[in-house]
Amino acid sequence: MDSAELDPFQKKVSAALVQVTRTVAQLSSEDLGFHRTSSSEFTESLDEQSERILALTSAVLKAATAGTDVDAPSLDTEESLEDNWRGVVDVIDSLLEKADACLDEFTGVIKKLSPSQEEQAPVARKAPKFPTTYDYGPSKIPKPQLLFDHKPDNSDLGPFHPLLETKPHASVPLEKSLTQRQIGGVTAYPHPYETEIRNAQYPKSVYQTASPINFLSFEGTTATFVDTLDGVKKMLEELKQAKEIAIDLEHHDVHSYHGLVSLMQISTRNKDWVVDTLKPWREELQMLNEVFADPKILKVLHGSTMDIIWLQRDLGLYVVGMFDTFHAASALGYPKRSLKFLLKKFVDFEADKRYQMADWRVRPLPSGMFDYARSDTHYLLYIYDCMRNALIEASTPEESLIDYVQDRSKNEALQRYERPVYDAEKGQGAGGWYDLLSRNPGGALSKEQFAVFKAIHQWRDEVARAADEGWQCVFPKHMLFKLAQVMPLDMGTLLRTLSPMTPLTKDRAGDLLNTIKKAAAAGATGPEWRDIAPPPKTLPVAVDMEDVDFPIAERYETSQFWGDVLQLQEPSAPASYSAVASLEALRLSLPLPPMPTTVSQAREKLAVTANAQSSPAPKAAPAPAPVPEEPKYFTVKDLGGPRKRKVAPVDTRDEEASTPDILAGPSDESEMTAKQRKKLRKEKKKAKKTAQSASQFEAEPFDYNTADSVLKAAPTAAPSAQQRKKPFNPYVKALDAPSGARKQQRNDAGKSMTFRE
């Protein structure tokens, strides 16, 4: 298929995949469980389609693995897809690797083998794997650390002893440098090159502006893969002749507890080297200290924080006279400080980041990974030249940016490697549980869950140390929190919680289950996470509250809403403290007339008002003591009114007298026609309304002081039958239902019942 036919086919396939992806996302967002329970037909159809998709997927996987050494996983049920997901990922990775190899052949990066060579060639080795979450199973590459002359000992928790056997360019002898002393309250070995690093100064050429030396073309530069001791010695002789060298490392930390330096890249102005650091004689690379510790040779690195640690731990190498371009970018205020940004800015080179997370233990090294490794140092010396000139131009007589970079680079080079010691009780250390809980929401963990979290975290660390694997190969961090929250107490729940389960955990599932049970039982009386959690951050400076001028709220003497309508008056008699406080609170909220504070005051006020309305009368003699009366008997029938009240006749003579003679015609209605009588009645009603409205405006203002008490008001007459209106019921037509129980007959007036008073 040529390119003309490939493009339409690719667009058609992409469009179909996009549509399928959208449909699947739509279906997954629906409540399929609810629809399953609501329709048996839908359930059968869904199961049928699920089996069909699983069958198609299995067929595709078998077709993709035909003729290869990759086994296609068997997908019989939906659960098997989750259990065998790692196998599915392996198939996809193999397809991507084939596509990558075909593209390399198409572009000419790899020369296609002749037919005779293809027939005689053995089975091609698998291309490098890219670690993902599902690649944390058993290592598919034999562990190189098993062949080291000095195998890593993960159980050693003592101070790290430097690997140095000799100390080139020393101002302090090696024996004196390797004497233990107290450092930060802990007995440890000092940095062997501490004195040399502090006293080192950049060569004078670093402080002088010069035109950047152009780098050689990537294809035209000699690149050498060094995997023998003779090759290391030959490279060392050439490095001694250089004035500046660029250094970088590639590290692997998945299938090793402490990690492994897998490659070391070194470049000069005209040559690149890639050194294999996984050889059994890797500690013999200490001979490179003749260049690395030479202060006259400038070592250019980028982001050297971890590189310095790894060089000490694995190779026994130390760097004196380092220039870190990361700190140079910080001094110049660049928006980004990554090596990728510097390569794009100064060289216009895009690094191929496909191999950034590759497994650098693979041997022999593929050409793509080899080129990616050497690109990190091939252009670094040219970038150093450009940044050096920029630092000199941006410096001032008071502040030298070159010195700033030198100080920061010295601090990086003075780092010491210390073994991570696991503290199970307090959780401190590089891989402890304390830091993990502090950076993740662990406040919701109960006592039992917190105890389980600590126990399985320690269990995971012990398993990783014993197997020399990264802790993520036991189970990842999110599974750690999931186990602590679920606290499985049986094997079935444990397997479901950790699905998919890594081989390391599967082989030790019984031990893990016992650990969880013991921790959950012991955690019932243990502490909670909040008891030892870090305290919340406080203000750095204490504030004296007496020195703070708080705003004072001003109050209005009169209401902003009522105005001067209701003026306040002082109470005539002093009240108690509580009464005064209540009055003051009421006055501040809303101005109101003075009100009595007690019932007795209210009664006295009502008595004074009644006396003021009546004329003065002589004081009456005290009434004799009341004599108890005999009980009276009464009949309800006599006191009850009729069932229907009669409407009292309305006297309209006064109204008729007040109505003006506005009609000219017969005075007797019997002599009027029907039309005249109707018109007369309308005019009378109109005149009556006019008179009522006029009387309202002409009446005197109502005096509340002389009005009768509301407490002793006479009961108002009940409204007549005509005045009472049945409330509107909007649902009267909708109540189409059988009638309920019969209403209980009430006792109306007229029934005779006798009571004792």
Side-chain angles (χ1 to χ4, degrees):
M1 181 181 296
D2 55 8
S3 59
E5 298 175 352
L6 178 62
D7 292 338
F9 176 77
Q10 182 180 3
K11 292 180 180 178
K12 184 178 179 180
V13 172
S14 300
L17 289 176
V18 168
Q19 185 61 33
V20 169
T21 305
R22 289 177 179 173
T23 305
V24 170
Q26 248 180 346
L27 289 174
S28 61
S29 63
E30 300 294 336
D31 193 353
L32 297 180
F34 170 78
H35 294 295
R36 277 180 174 272
T37 58
S38 61
S39 174
S40 58
E41 296 180 359
F42 176 80
T43 303
E44 295 176 358
S45 176
L46 190 63
D47 293 338
E48 181 181 354
Q49 295 300 327
S50 178
E51 293 175 359
R52 178 173 175 270
I53 293 174
L54 287 174
L56 289 175
T57 306
S58 299
V60 171
L61 292 175
K62 289 180 181 179
T65 56
T68 64
D69 56 347
V70 180
D71 296 329
S74 177
L75 305 179
D76 301 326
T77 60
E78 296 178 4
E79 290 76 11
S80 63
L81 177 62
E82 186 175 1
D83 297 336
N84 299 314
W85 181 249
R86 187 179 292 105
V88 176
V89 172
D90 291 339
V91 175
I92 296 175
D93 286 345
S94 65
L95 291 176
L96 293 175
E97 292 160 9
K98 288 181 180 179
D100 187 45
C102 293
L103 289 174
D104 289 342
E105 291 179 1
F106 180 79
T107 56
V109 176
I110 300 177
K111 293 182 179 180
K112 190 173 182 179
L113 300 176
S114 61
S116 59
Q117 289 177 322
E118 289 181 344
E119 294 174 358
Q120 300 174 3
V123 177
R125 180 192 48 80
K126 293 174 63 176
K129 306 292 291 183
F130 295 90
T132 64
T133 306
Y134 301 99
D135 289 333
Y136 293 147
S139 177
K140 296 180 175 61
I141 299 175
K143 289 187 175 183
Q145 60 264 40
L146 299 178
L147 302 177
F148 290 169
D149 293 340
H150 296 87
K151 299 178 178 59
D153 184 7
N154 301 322
S155 61
D156 187 3
L157 303 180
F160 173 74
H161 189 286
L163 304 178
L164 280 178
E165 296 179 358
T166 60
K167 186 180 177 183
H169 308 285
S171 57
V172 178
L174 178 62
E175 295 77 11
K176 189 176 181 180
S177 302
L178 297 182
T179 304
Q180 292 189 15
R181 64 187 183 187
Q182 291 290 325
I183 302 176
V186 180
T187 302
Y189 290 93
H191 194 292
Y193 277 93
E194 179 178 359
T195 304
E196 290 78 6
I197 292 174
R198 294 188 184 278
N199 296 334
Q201 296 295 326
Y202 283 158
K204 294 182 179 180
S205 58
V206 181
Y207 293 89
Q208 299 174 356
T209 303
S211 299
I213 300 176
N214 290 329
F215 53 86
L216 300 179
S217 63
F218 196 81
E219 294 77 11
T221 305
T222 303
T224 305
F225 185 75
V226 181
D227 57 352
T228 62
L229 274 176
D230 293 338
V232 173
K233 295 176 181 178
K234 185 177 180 180
M235 177 188 67
L236 179 59
E237 295 300 323
E238 296 186 42
L239 292 178
K240 290 180 180 179
Q241 309 302 321
K243 295 182 179 180
E244 306 98 358
I245 63 173
I247 305 172
D248 191 30
L249 302 177
E250 299 298 340
H251 190 262
H252 176 84
D253 57 1
V254 177
H255 295 291
S256 172
Y257 183 81
H258 291 297
L260 297 169
V261 176
S262 302
L263 288 177
M264 178 168 57
Q265 305 94 273
I266 304 176
S267 294
T268 58
R269 296 286 183 179
N270 52 12
K271 197 169 183 180
D272 301 329
W273 289 272
V274 178
V275 183
D276 186 0
T277 58
L278 294 180
K279 292 297 182 179
W281 43 262
R282 61 195 320 235
E283 293 185 13
E284 297 293 332
L285 291 172
Q286 293 182 41
M287 66 179 70
L288 295 178
N289 279 324
E290 296 183 18
V291 173
F292 282 36
D294 188 353
K296 298 179 182 179
I297 301 177
L298 188 68
K299 274 71 65 176
V300 182
L301 291 87
H302 181 85
S304 60
T305 301
M306 296 308 302
D307 293 341
I308 294 296
I309 296 295
W310 296 335
L311 286 173
Q312 296 178 30
R313 183 196 65 196
D314 291 357
L315 309 178
L317 291 173
Y318 297 85
V319 181
V320 180
M322 181 176 67
F323 187 100
D324 195 328
T325 53
F326 174 86
H327 295 293
S330 301
L332 294 172
Y334 288 163
K336 296 181 181 179
R337 300 161 191 176
S338 63
L339 181 59
K340 179 181 179 181
F341 172 78
L342 298 180
L343 288 170
K344 184 65 177 177
K345 177 179 178 62
F346 294 106
V347 188
D348 193 21
F349 175 79
E350 282 285 353
D352 188 356
K353 294 301 179 182
R354 291 181 302 167
Y355 303 104
Q356 190 173 14
M357 298 299 295
D359 190 344
W360 291 99
R361 302 174 304 161
V362 62
R363 298 292 184 272
L365 200 64
S367 60
M369 296 176 66
F370 181 83
D371 291 339
Y372 171 81
R374 63 184 283 243
S375 66
D376 288 344
T377 57
H378 180 78
Y379 305 98
L380 195 55
L381 293 179
Y382 175 79
I383 293 175
Y384 152 74
D385 291 342
C386 298
M387 300 187 76
R388 176 201 60 204
N389 294 340
L391 290 170
I392 295 174
E393 294 177 1
S395 299
T396 61
E398 295 78 15
E399 182 182 12
S400 173
L401 297 184
I402 298 291
D403 291 340
Y404 170 86
V405 175
Q406 181 174 232
D407 294 339
R408 297 300 185 275
S409 300
K410 284 183 178 181
N411 292 336
E412 298 286 359
L414 286 171
Q415 294 182 100
R416 292 184 307 106
Y417 171 69
E418 297 178 355
R419 287 193 178 96
V421 179
Y422 189 85
D423 187 353
E425 183 64 24
K426 299 181 180 179
Q428 302 295 334
W433 53 261
Y434 185 88
D435 183 60
L436 187 61
L437 279 179
S438 301
R439 292 182 286 105
N440 292 275
L445 296 179
S446 62
K447 293 181 179 180
E448 294 82 358
Q449 291 173 338
F450 179 50
V452 170
F453 184 90
K454 293 192 298 181
I456 59 179
H457 191 280
Q458 182 182 3
W459 183 87
R460 184 181 68 164
D461 183 82
E462 293 174 353
V463 171
R465 286 177 183 269
D468 195 18
E469 294 279 357
W471 53 260
Q472 61 271 31
C473 291
V474 183
F475 48 77
K477 180 179 67 176
H478 71 277
M479 286 294 186
L480 181 66
F481 283 94
K482 189 175 180 181
L483 275 176
Q485 293 172 354
V486 176
M487 291 192 301
L489 301 179
D490 58 87
M491 187 58 67
T493 307
L494 178 64
L495 296 176
R496 288 193 299 270
T497 304
L498 283 178
S499 179
M501 185 178 290
T502 61
L504 283 176
T505 306
K506 189 174 182 179
D507 296 340
R508 302 166 176 83
D511 186 21
L512 176 59
L513 186 62
N514 293 332
T515 302
I516 295 175
K517 290 180 179 179
K518 293 179 181 179
T525 58
E528 294 186 16
W529 162 242
R530 63 173 61 94
D531 297 334
I532 61 175
K537 296 183 179 180
T538 57
L539 293 176
V541 180
V543 180
D544 189 0
M545 304 304 293
E546 296 181 356
D547 298 337
V548 181
D549 295 332
F550 292 101
I552 301 176
E554 298 182 356
R555 303 183 185 277
Y556 289 96
E557 295 298 332
T558 59
S559 172
Q560 298 298 298
F561 179 76
W562 298 100
D564 297 333
V565 175
L566 302 174
Q567 293 295 338
L568 296 177
Q569 298 180 5
E570 295 296 331
S572 57
S576 61
Y577 178 79
S578 59
V580 172
S582 301
L583 287 173
E584 181 65 15
L586 184 61
R587 184 184 72 81
L588 295 177
S589 60
L590 181 64
L592 292 174
M595 301 174 63
T597 58
T598 61
V599 177
S600 60
Q601 291 181 7
R603 290 177 178 174
E604 292 176 1
K605 184 174 181 180
L606 291 175
V608 172
T609 304
N611 294 336
Q613 292 178 356
S614 62
S615 59
K619 187 175 182 181
V627 179
E629 298 179 358
E630 295 295 333
K632 298 179 181 180
Y633 297 90
F634 61 92
T635 303
V636 176
K637 184 175 181 180
D638 298 338
L639 299 178
R643 294 178 62 87
K644 293 185 179 180
R645 297 181 181 179
K646 297 180 179 180
V647 181
V650 181
D651 189 4
T652 59
R653 289 177 296 178
D654 296 339
E655 297 176 1
E656 293 176 357
S658 61
T659 304
D661 297 334
I662 56 176
L663 293 176
S667 59
D668 190 1
E669 290 189 11
S670 59
E671 300 178 1
M672 298 180 182
T673 61
K675 186 175 182 180
Q676 289 176 342
R677 285 195 299 269
K678 186 175 181 180
K679 186 175 183 180
L680 177 61
R681 284 195 295 270
K682 288 183 179 180
E683 294 297 336
K684 285 182 179 181
K685 289 182 180 180
K686 185 176 181 180
K688 180 180 178 181
K689 291 182 180 179
T690 305
Q692 289 178 353
S693 60
S695 63
Q696 291 179 359
F697 289 103
E698 294 176 0
E700 296 181 359
F702 183 77
D703 188 1
Y704 287 93
N705 294 327
T706 60
D708 294 335
S709 173
V710 180
L711 298 177
K712 297 182 179 181
T716 58
S720 62
Q722 295 180 355
Q723 294 175 348
R724 290 198 300 266
K725 293 183 179 180
K726 190 175 182 180
F728 174 71
N729 185 4
Y731 306 104
V732 66
K733 295 183 179 180
L735 298 176
D736 187 11
S739 59
R742 299 180 63 182
K743 187 176 181 181
Q744 185 178 0
Q745 187 175 3
R746 64 182 180 180
N747 297 327
D748 295 331
K751 290 188 177 182
S752 178
M753 291 187 181
T754 305
F755 297 89
R756 182 177 180 180
E757 185 178 4

